[in-house]
Amino acid sequence: MSENKQHDAQKSYLEETGGRKGIFKWILSTDHKRIGLLYLYSIMSWFFIGVTLGVLMKLELIAPGITIMGAQSYNATFTVHGVIMIFLIVIPGLPAVFGNFMLPIQIGAKDVAFPKLNLLSWYIYIAGSILVVSSLFAGGGPPDTGWTFYAPYSFKTGTNMLPAVLGAFVLGFSSILTGLNFLVTIHRLRAPGMTWLKMPVFPWTLYGTAWIQLLATPIVGITLLMVIGERIFNIGFFDPAKGGDPILYQHLFWIYSHPAVYIMILPAMGAISEIIPTFARKTIFGYRAIIVSTLAIAFVGYFVWGHHMFTSGMSGTALFTFSILTFIVAIPSAIKVFNWVSTMHQGSISADVPFLWAASFIFVFMIGGLTGLILGALAVNVHVHDTAFVVGHFHFIVFGGTGFAFFGALHYWFPKIYGRMYDRAWAKTGWIIFFIGFITLYGPMFYLGIRGMPRRYFDYLPDYHGPNIISSLGALVMVTGFVIIVINLFKSARSGEKAEMNPWGGTNLEWRIPSPPPLENFDEIPTIDKATYKYD
Amino acid sequence: MAEEKHHITSYKTYLLVLVALIIFTLLSVTITQIELSRWATVAALLIAGIKSTFVLLVFMHLKFDLRIFRVMVGLIISLLVVVIFITMLDFLFR
Ligand SMILES: [Cu+2]
């Protein structure tokens, strides 16, 4: 900003309030770091609701028959759980929290390109979130269509579809604006000397993500509007009786929602690519291959949506095309896994907390990815479609992938964000309990799915009882781990030991400025003269 | 930014484009009276495509902007074309 601010440049962004008090120093600040934290706190709050709904489902499934709720409540529970988790948490997740906080710092900028637009995106996010969550409480009961809002049921059901669908629609704008902001930031605000091929991997993955946010989100926006149109005006886009086509809905929905999986997973991969070189004390293996695979995932990811519709009655030609494209899109993900493992090879590994998250990320992500290929195979898909197998698969990808990377990134950048270090022993305890709980919770779903237990049922045959008990107990273990992690971080943010500038020995720009960073990150915009992740 | 030369489009051009858009809108309504069966969608999309080209080029100034923007818009539209093409692999072969 202005010259007279120079003298107190060492004040951290947390002390720099811009003359505002209390909550206003947060909700009126256009500082990308504060906005990142606003997202962190709001996402975490919704996450508690999402987790609670998830636990309720696992409690229901702990025994056959009605345990704590009946069919209608169960349908509503998994719908709202899905909508909250997907649209409110994992889609904004890493880009909105760590992208906002770290992107400008990692590319050597003082802020994002449009700070006010950035704050507006958060307000839009909050507006959309409130709409979605209000569907839980308002009028006709919570929505019961599943998070996919499949037609024709989504315009026939009497439940609160409008707030949920409208909320998802509004959230899309937040996503688009954040993507646009990041694109311009990366194009225009890189520090002198930071050429494209000197940029760290996390900004690169945000770049790929931003294109998806910008180009795919409008499609779901239109689709949700069409659902609203169907409900209010009975237009008939998806109604065969009026010449419409219900499968068209599925196409439109998945044209967005498959790329959305890459909105979730690409920045997660970026965070993992930051953590692993730092804790292996080694330059990342195959930097260019990682960049190319990132862009390849973003690009090919547009054309595989039909693998969600293998049993919907698509033409044989389409089935074949989507299956083969799905197998192709697995290749760049595998390249990344290969690169991470090769980075660790002959490195000097310190198994500190962020590394544990990153290593377990690779483990669960591999399981999620490979079971995805099972689902991508046409013949097998018919057998496991809409079974617990699918639920296991996407929780390994979305929670195991994005979730683990989120916690990894949180533990990695925590000392930078708050200038304090957390209790590492507690963090490791939380991690191992969480990890064991996670595997116990979602592992049995693969078995149940192959044995034929359908997803989205509140009840099941007695044959499926054993694995369901294990799964439900796993949920309780995982929640215990989660509570330990959150309490540890929460306490440490207030009263943890002071953290140094570079506690992990990282090489990128964020580790060359004070913890927590000053308001405008850099006293002087740095000039970059060497490649990223270089250890001497 | 302020020093850059901006192309100024005359009101007459805008008006002509507006008239063209109205004519095409009327056309897309009248065309529904003719029985075209599955070509009806093609016709409607074609008209809509022409209309949006006008809007993009003139109203949104793409015609007078840097070449790179035209290239980028072109790439994005080709993405859309591929997506529609793949969807048609389902619809037309069912
Ligand atoms: Cu998919």
Side-chain angles (χ1 to χ4, degrees), chain A residues 51-62 68 399 430 432-442 445 468-484:
Chain A
V51 167
T52 310
L53 293 171
V55 170
L56 289 177
M57 281 152 68
K58 290 322 295 183
L59 288 178
E60 167 53 37
L61 290 181
I62 206 165
I68 58 166
F399 197 6
I432 190 71
I433 296 176
F434 188 94
F435 181 62
I436 293 170
F438 179 90
I439 302 284
T440 323
L441 164 53
Y442 299 112
M445 290 186 182
N468 268 304
I469 295 179
I470 298 175
S471 175
S472 295
L473 292 180
L476 300 178
V477 175
M478 192 183 78
V479 169
T480 313
F482 176 64
V483 170
I484 294 176

Side-chain angles (χ1 to χ4, degrees), chain A residues 58-292:
Chain A
K58 290 322 295 183
L59 288 178
E60 167 53 37
L61 290 181
I62 206 165
I66 294 183
T67 317
I68 58 166
M69 61 176 111
Q72 183 60 30
S73 312
Y74 189 79
N75 293 349
T77 310
F78 72 66
T79 301
V80 183
H81 168 81
V83 174
I84 289 182
M85 289 300 200
I86 297 284
F87 292 108
L88 272 60
I89 293 156
V90 283
I91 288 181
L94 278 120
V97 178
F98 300 110
N100 260 317
F101 202 104
M102 288 299 162
L103 170 67
I105 302 181
Q106 285 198 317
I107 63 170
K110 293 189 167 183
D111 207 318
V112 292
F114 308 115
K116 285 182 183 161
L117 189 67
N118 202 15
L119 183 62
L120 177 69
S121 313
W122 179 77
Y123 276 101
I124 297 176
Y125 167 78
I126 290 297
S129 309
I130 291 174
L131 269 172
V132 167
V133 175
S134 74
S135 71
L136 265 176
F137 309 107
D144 58 349
T145 58
W147 74 279
T148 48
F149 306 129
Y150 265 18
Y153 186 59
S154 59
F155 57 88
K156 298 243 158 81
T157 171
T159 52
N160 281 326
M161 288 306 294
L162 283 182
V165 172
L166 211 58
F169 178 74
V170 172
L171 286 164
F173 281 94
S174 170
S175 193
I176 293 171
L177 292 178
T178 303
L180 184 70
N181 217 336
F182 286 3
L183 277 181
V184 180
T185 308
I186 294 172
H187 271 275
R188 309 294 298 181
L189 296 185
R190 278 171 294 133
M194 180 164 286
T195 53
W196 285 97
L197 290 177
K198 288 203 180 96
M199 193 161 75
V201 174
F202 187 58
W204 260 114
T205 52
L206 288 171
Y207 184 73
T209 308
W211 275 113
I212 306 177
Q213 287 176 306
L214 195 66
L215 298 182
T217 317
I219 298 175
V220 81
I222 294 289
T223 312
L224 295 173
L225 277 190
M226 286 164 98
V227 171
I228 295 173
E230 289 280 85
R231 280 187 76 87
I232 301 181
F233 305 111
N234 256 314
I235 299 174
F237 296 118
F238 310 124
D239 187 352
K242 293 183 181 147
D245 183 354
I247 298 184
L248 175 67
Y249 175 84
Q250 300 185 15
H251 276 297
L252 287 170
F253 183 82
W254 290 112
I255 287 173
Y256 166 72
S257 296
H258 184 82
V261 176
Y262 296 113
I263 299 181
M264 305 166 197
I265 202 70
L266 276 178
M269 293 167 154
I272 298 302
S273 308
E274 296 292 319
I275 295 171
I276 287 180
T278 304
F279 290 88
R281 287 289 179 284
K282 229 178 116 215
T283 307
I284 198 158
F285 181 89
Y287 171 80
R288 284 181 191 219
I290 293 188
I291 304 306
V292 171

Side-chain angles (χ1 to χ4, degrees), chain B residues 25-43:
Chain B
T25 309
L26 293 176
L27 190 66
S28 61
V29 177
T30 32
I31 210 162
T32 53
Q33 304 301 315
I34 312 164
E35 185 49 60
L36 289 168
S37 71
R38 65 168 42 171
W39 294 101
T41 318
V42 178

